[in-house]
Amino acid sequence: MLKKTILAAVACFGFTAAQAATDVATWRAQVDQLMDAGEFTQASTLMKKLPKKVRTQEAVTIDSLNQIMDRIRRDFTLSPEEGIAAIRKKRPDATDEQIANWKRLKAIEYMNIDGKEVWFRKAVRNLWLLGEEFAADNKAELAEESESMRKYAVRAMGTQPDANGIRDWHHVNVTFTLDVKPDAIPAGETLRVWMPIPYENLRQKNIKLESSNRPVTYSEGSKHHTIYMEAVAEKGQPTHFEYTFSYDVGERHIAQQDLMAMVQPYKMTDEYVKYTSSEYPHIVITDSIRSLAEYIVGGAEVHPVMAANHIFHWIAINFPWAGAREYSTIKNIPEYVLENKHGDCGQVGLLYITLCRAVGIPARWESGYMLHPGAVNFHDWGETYFEGVGWVPTDASFGRSTSPSEQMHDYYATGIDIYRMASNEAVGDQLSPAKKYIRSETVDFQMGEVEWKGGNLYYDKWSSNFKLNSMEPIK
């Protein structure tokens, strides 16, 4: 019904309204409605028919909206026939009724674009992680992961903490490279490139740029900590960016019984207000979110450490990991997790932060890379603030694998291991120096960002690589 209403409205106005529109909110509302209904072609056409003055003034916004639709199309590329064939290749006995039920339960993610059903490109791979029929196999895998995590915690707990409770210090050396493909932009034009670097906090120190192949500029004032470089493109040649850095990293974990004895009542400081408030578009405290958080916590008088713990484990139990679509294509990530009943590390991390804030517990984002042996990859986690203690690391995603373990049950609720490189302490912040066009990743920052005067360069035009050279204990 909503889709028919939207199409009728567009038909009624034709494109006369779009041609006459000068108010940004008017045409943006129409485009947003069309995009929500999956009518991408009509949305693009509407923007093309805007008056030239509006298209000039709103060029970056129009470019961003078109890029979002293009990214969704790139993510949803699997036809139902291809998806069903892939499922039956592994499960020949899968019935039409089972497949329909998996779609109903959101174990298979799909949408309609321009009147055609298309499946998420990772839908079949995700099915084996999300379908109830495969829960037993997944549980066994989680038990193996938990045992792997346990050995890191046991080693760390055998070392002496410093005055801040940080221990198991290691020295890390990393090389980061980014390569732009030949002729991605015209020869003679300038590439602008942002790449990650760790920042100083209780668990990271002695950050040092060891070398770089081009002059660098460090970010200032941004919550995304970056190194910025420029280079002029040469015809037929790739453009290479490279730097090596080092830093020291330590483990921090506070046992819950110790934490509860240390915590004091919250003070209404500016920081408390900031980190218990909405932060649009992905940390939004609605009435329904607040009601859900209060239900999970179980009452206003619950100790904040236990309240945060309840949220941590509720997420671990209810939202299995699955490969994620592009964050930049999701309007509100926690709502997406609740609706689709799954999420990757950053998605459940944002849900944790939002639910904590909804019951007055300050929480914030942290992300970068996980450096576990044989598993170096992007990773997102968070921090929870307790008065009298400060910011305590929390990894809601790792809670899914460690919750079943008695020894590791609460470890990542109030602690984190050394196998991290944190380069972000918020989501969706402005890059430094400022980026003109929409970012490839509008929420997080790990892979890097590239643009030139003609627009953003998406991932198909370049690649980056994070190489962990060494990670040695500090004697």
Side-chain angles (χ1 to χ4, degrees):
M1 182 61 70
L2 174 61
K3 180 177 174 182
K4 290 180 179 177
T5 303
I6 294 165
L7 296 180
V10 173
C12 177
F13 285 112
F15 290 110
T16 306
Q19 290 169 336
T22 56
D23 178 56
V24 174
T26 301
W27 70 263
R28 272 302 304 273
Q30 292 177 3
V31 170
D32 285 345
Q33 285 182 318
L34 287 167
M35 287 175 65
D36 288 345
E39 298 296 336
F40 288 3
T41 299
Q42 291 202 41
S44 293
T45 301
L46 190 153
M47 289 187 286
K48 286 178 184 176
K49 291 182 176 289
L50 288 168
K52 183 177 181 180
K53 181 180 178 181
V54 177
R55 283 186 281 115
T56 300
Q57 290 174 340
E58 302 298 327
V60 173
T61 299
I62 291 169
D63 175 72
S64 298
L65 292 167
N66 279 316
Q67 283 213 32
I68 294 300
M69 289 187 285
D70 181 60
R71 294 173 191 188
I72 293 173
R73 287 190 178 103
R74 289 170 183 265
D75 256 349
F76 287 79
T77 55
L78 199 62
S79 72
E81 295 76 19
E82 291 170 330
I84 291 169
I87 290 170
R88 287 183 172 149
K89 186 174 182 180
K90 188 170 182 178
R91 297 269 299 199
D93 58 341
T95 66
D96 290 344
E97 291 74 20
Q98 275 183 309
I99 292 169
N101 191 50
W102 285 327
K103 288 171 68 177
R104 183 180 63 82
L105 295 173
K106 306 296 181 74
I108 294 174
E109 188 172 357
Y110 71 97
M111 67 187 304
N112 286 286
I113 299 177
D114 292 330
K116 182 179 179 182
E117 180 181 316
V118 280
W119 290 16
F120 178 39
R121 60 188 175 86
K122 299 178 182 177
V124 175
R125 187 178 72 180
N126 282 348
L127 174 61
W128 317 126
L129 300 168
L130 302 174
E132 292 180 0
E133 295 87 339
F134 318 115
D137 292 340
N138 294 329
K139 188 174 181 181
E141 255 185 60
L142 290 177
E144 287 182 22
E145 286 181 24
S146 182
E147 179 58 27
S148 175
M149 296 299 107
R150 189 185 72 84
K151 65 185 179 185
Y152 303 138
V154 168
R155 185 198 64 223
M157 290 175 186
T159 62
Q160 187 66 31
D162 64 16
N164 294 311
I166 318 297
R167 58 193 170 187
D168 198 23
W169 284 98
H170 279 59
H171 184 69
V172 181
N173 185 280
V174 170
T175 296
F176 193 95
T177 58
L178 190 151
D179 292 277
V180 181
K181 293 180 179 179
D183 304 318
I185 67 171
E189 297 289 353
T190 299
L191 288 159
R192 307 179 69 216
V193 176
W194 294 258
M195 297 167 286
I197 194 165
Y199 68 96
E200 193 95 9
N201 61 22
L202 279 178
R203 293 174 286 108
Q204 295 182 161
K205 62 184 182 180
N206 298 330
I207 298 155
K208 181 182 178 183
L209 180 65
E210 303 286 355
S211 64
S212 66
N213 73 328
R214 303 180 190 278
V216 306
T217 300
Y218 296 97
S219 56
E220 293 182 3
S222 175
K223 296 295 185 180
H224 301 298
H225 297 270
T226 66
I227 276 180
Y228 172 82
M229 298 185 194
E230 293 184 356
V232 175
E234 298 180 25
K235 186 173 179 59
Q237 298 297 316
T239 310
H240 181 70
F241 300 85
E242 179 175 326
Y243 59 103
T244 296
F245 61 89
S246 62
Y247 69 103
D248 297 340
V249 62
E251 182 258 19
R252 189 184 192 206
H253 174 260
I254 305 175
Q256 285 192 349
Q257 63 271 24
D258 297 333
L259 190 58
M260 290 180 70
M262 299 159 65
V263 168
Q264 302 168 10
Y266 285 118
K267 298 173 184 175
M268 296 299 130
T269 62
D270 289 345
E271 185 174 52
Y272 177 84
V273 171
K274 176 180 179 180
Y275 290 109
T276 52
S277 299
S278 292
E279 195 174 326
Y280 292 85
H282 296 294
I283 303 172
V284 184
I285 305 169
T286 61
D287 290 342
S288 59
I289 284 287
R290 185 173 283 106
S291 296
L292 174 61
E294 290 170 354
Y295 165 77
I296 296 166
V297 167
E301 301 305 314
V302 176
H303 192 287
V305 173
M306 294 313 301
N309 186 263
H310 291 330
I311 293 170
F312 177 89
H313 286 294
W314 182 80
I315 289 172
I317 292 167
N318 290 290
F319 300 96
W321 187 92
R325 53 187 278 196
E326 289 288 346
Y327 283 15
S328 63
T329 68
I330 303 172
K331 285 192 171 182
N332 181 301
I333 288 174
E335 287 184 0
Y336 170 88
V337 175
L338 293 171
E339 180 182 348
N340 289 276
K341 302 178 178 62
H342 62 78
D344 73 350
C345 55
Q347 291 172 333
V348 297
L350 281 166
L351 178 60
Y352 172 83
I353 291 166
T354 305
L355 291 170
C356 280
R357 290 191 186 189
V359 289
I361 299 171
R364 68 185 183 188
W365 178 268
E366 193 168 62
S367 73
Y369 279 77
M370 54 183 279
L371 309 180
H372 298 86
V376 174
N377 209 337
F378 308 138
H379 193 56
D380 310 326
W381 58 96
E383 293 184 303
T384 313
Y385 184 82
F386 299 107
E387 196 70 53
V389 179
W391 290 101
V392 176
T394 305
D395 192 332
S397 182
F398 270 41
R400 293 182 282 204
S401 58
T402 55
S403 287
S405 164
E406 184 175 345
Q407 188 171 12
M408 295 292 291
H409 186 70
D410 296 318
Y411 178 85
Y412 288 103
T414 56
I416 209 160
D417 55 52
I418 61 166
Y419 297 98
R420 313 284 163 154
M421 188 204 85
S423 56
N424 305 295
E425 45 184 333
V427 297
D429 199 15
Q430 177 76 286
L431 293 180
S432 170
K435 191 174 191 292
K436 180 178 179 180
Y437 293 96
I438 185 175
R439 286 161 42 185
S440 294
E441 172 53 274
T442 57
V443 179
D444 210 358
F445 182 89
Q446 289 144 320
M447 197 167 176
E449 291 287 339
V450 184
E451 75 173 19
W452 69 296
K453 73 177 186 182
N456 177 69
L457 291 190
Y458 198 55
Y459 302 127
D460 57 331
K461 298 291 192 297
W462 54 273
S463 62
S464 63
N465 182 61
F466 182 102
K467 182 185 178 186
L468 178 62
N469 298 319
S470 62
M471 189 171 191
E472 302 294 336
I474 297 173
K475 303 299 184 183

